[in-house]
Amino acid sequence: PFHKIYRRLFPVVLELAIDQEPVCRQLFSALATQLVRWFTRNQAREAAETVALLDAVVEGLAGDPARRDAESDGDTFTGGTSEKVSGGAAARRRDLCASLAAECLKW
């Protein structure tokens, strides 16, 4: 019954895990890793909750089409920094999701 909540929660956890703020990034990247370990260690590997997590990781790797369209708007900047959202944040998201996918395969 929690899979509907998880479908909305997991992408937010992944976004916070790549945040500019170091404390937020450190806390939520560790949480994301532990969530992957917890849900993939589950005996029912195809449980709806596990599938919701893996969907969020795969979408982070592939890039959400709606998010990619929003990020490709040329001069979109974050937090007053000169880093473009489409470049740095997308790369951090892919790196995090790739490490989470590797963690999933380990467990």
Side-chain angles (χ1 to χ4, degrees):
F2 290 110
H3 71 277
K4 291 180 183 178
I5 295 170
Y6 289 150
R7 286 210 178 271
R8 296 184 61 102
L9 179 69
F10 291 145
V12 175
V13 169
L14 295 179
E15 287 298 316
L16 289 170
I18 62 164
D19 196 71
Q20 292 287 331
E21 177 63 36
V23 174
C24 184
R25 184 174 54 239
Q26 184 179 10
L27 288 172
F28 281 94
S29 63
L31 175 63
T33 303
Q34 289 301 318
L35 285 170
V36 165
R37 290 176 180 171
W38 177 264
F39 281 103
T40 56
R41 190 178 61 179
N42 187 2
Q43 294 299 324
R45 292 202 184 270
E46 293 186 16
E49 292 84 4
T50 305
V51 171
L53 176 61
L54 295 177
D55 282 346
V57 170
V58 170
E59 284 177 11
L61 275 172
D64 185 18
R67 187 181 299 142
R68 272 185 293 177
D69 293 341
E71 290 176 352
S72 65
D73 289 343
D75 294 335
T76 306
F77 295 99
T78 59
T81 64
S82 62
E83 178 183 41
K84 287 194 175 188
V85 173
S86 62
R92 285 192 308 274
R93 186 181 308 113
R94 282 190 305 271
D95 288 344
L96 173 70
C97 290
S99 69
L100 293 176
E103 195 71 27
C104 175
L105 293 174
K106 274 194 246 182
W107 285 81

